[in-house]
Structures are given as C-alpha cells and as structure tokens.
Amino acid sequence: MGLRERKRLRMYRDVSDIAISLFLEKGFEKVSVAEVAAAAEISKPTLFRYFPSKEDLVLYRFADHETEAARVVAERAPGRSAIEALRLHHLAGIEHGDPVTGVNGDPHVLAFHRLLYGTPSLVARLYEYLERSEAALAAALGGTLRARLAAGQIVAVRRILAMDSWRRIADGEDVTAVRRDAVAAAEGAFARLAQGLPEYATPGT
C-alpha cells in the first residue's frame, strides 16, 4: 500500500473515530456534520468527499466487513464447502471476540452498538450495507437466483446470531456464558443451513 493510500485510510479512520466520540457523548441527532468537521479540523466539503452522509461516519466501521462473507467463500480451502468455510469463520470470530459476532464485552464496543441500534437512521443505513454484503456473497456463490436466496439466508443467520449475543451482553450477562451459548447456537444454525442448502454444503462447492 502506497503512502497516499495509507494517508487516505488514516483520514477515514480518524474522522470516523472523532465523529463516533461526539455521537456517544451528545447523541447522534444532536451533533451536526459541521461540528464533526470542526473537531476533525477539516472543511465540510472535505468531510463529504470521504463520507457521503452523516450515517456513514458511524458505519465506516462496517466497511471492511461488507464483502467479508464473499471473501471467505472465494478464498476457502480446496475441498471445503461454502457453508463450512463460513461456519469456521464465524466460530473463529466468536473465539477472538470480533465485535461483528456480538460476542464482545468491551464497554466501547457495547456503547457503539447501543448508538448504532438505538438510532433509526443508522439502522436503516446498516440494512443498505447488509444488502450489499448479501449481493457480494450471492455473486461469490454463483450469482443465480438460488445463490441470491442462499445468500439472504446466510446473511440473516449471521445477523440474528450477532444481535442475540450483543443484546444478552448489553443486558449484563456474563460474556463467557454468552460465548459458550453463541458457539452452540452457531453450530446449530449452520447445520440447519447445510441441511436446507445442500448444494452449498457439499465439499468443494
């Protein structure tokens, strides 16, 4: 990665972090884009070149995950099915406390999720990200109607599993217990996906 690209990515990260700090402190609706730009010491036009909407300042953190499922499928080991690759990836995320799985008790992560799921405009924008993730996964699965149906089910399963874990931890449940249950729930969910989508659960498919 060249210097220009590194600087660009650092700008994305730094401005997003500043914005999220302000949103957590004051509330998403009470912070203007102008206030974020001033705190980041950039102009509003510059900010909008990086983030087309106010919601994108928050959802930038999901940018790397938008095509994650598609990458997992495309880069899976020879002989491994698409669903098995996704199952293993999800379980690894739980083990490592990846915030996307919902199994993370860090106060900053919990606060971010409360901001995200407690703000209607952010939830609506999040679904746009999920739709693009679904489209990317469908393309990786072959791009057919059956692939799009399969991708919709897989993305929904991952989202629901993550939401269940996050809500339990946010309600004060022990992270270790939630992690244990999350593993069992994921195993069961992916087993059902394999049964219902056998063409994507056969080794090598």
Side-chain angles (χ1 to χ4, degrees):
M1 186 183 296
L3 177 60
R4 184 187 298 273
E5 181 65 11
R6 290 200 301 272
K7 289 178 66 175
R8 188 178 70 87
L9 291 176
R10 186 162 58 248
M11 173 68 84
Y12 273 111
R13 184 183 64 248
D14 291 348
V15 175
S16 176
D17 287 347
I18 289 168
I20 289 169
S21 294
L22 288 171
F23 297 151
L24 289 173
E25 178 186 353
K26 301 179 180 182
F28 182 80
E29 302 297 343
K30 294 182 179 180
V31 178
S32 68
V33 171
E35 188 174 351
V36 174
E41 299 182 341
I42 59 175
S43 67
K44 280 181 63 176
T46 297
L47 185 148
F48 280 123
R49 281 204 303 271
Y50 285 89
F51 301 94
S53 74
K54 183 179 176 182
E55 288 76 14
D56 288 327
L57 287 160
V58 176
L59 292 170
Y60 168 72
R61 292 192 177 183
F62 285 88
D64 288 342
H65 296 283
E66 189 173 300
T67 59
E68 183 177 73
R71 291 198 303 270
V72 169
V73 170
E75 298 170 3
R76 67 191 185 278
R80 180 170 291 164
S81 74
I83 288 179
E84 176 65 2
L86 290 165
R87 181 186 74 85
L88 292 173
H89 181 76
H90 189 82
L91 292 174
I94 292 173
E95 178 64 25
H96 298 138
D98 187 337
V100 172
T101 68
V103 187
N104 188 302
D106 185 283
H108 297 290
V109 173
L110 293 174
F112 174 79
H113 282 149
R114 281 194 293 271
L115 169 69
L116 175 61
Y117 296 117
T119 308
S121 63
L122 290 174
V123 172
R125 192 71 169 179
L126 176 61
Y127 273 93
E128 293 182 22
Y129 276 74
L130 291 173
E131 287 177 354
R132 290 195 291 271
S133 177
E134 183 181 307
L137 177 56
L141 293 173
T144 64
L145 174 59
R146 293 179 69 84
R148 296 199 299 274
L149 291 169
Q153 293 176 64
I154 293 166
V155 169
V157 162
R158 286 158 48 99
R159 176 183 61 81
I160 292 168
L161 289 171
M163 286 291 292
D164 183 71
S165 294
W166 168 71
R167 284 177 173 144
R168 289 180 59 187
I169 293 172
D171 286 342
E173 291 193 45
D174 179 69
V175 176
T176 300
V178 173
R179 179 180 295 110
R180 181 184 61 245
D181 292 347
V183 169
E187 292 283 21
F190 278 93
R192 287 187 288 276
L193 281 173
Q195 291 173 356
L197 304 169
E199 61 268 52
Y200 304 109
T202 303
T205 62

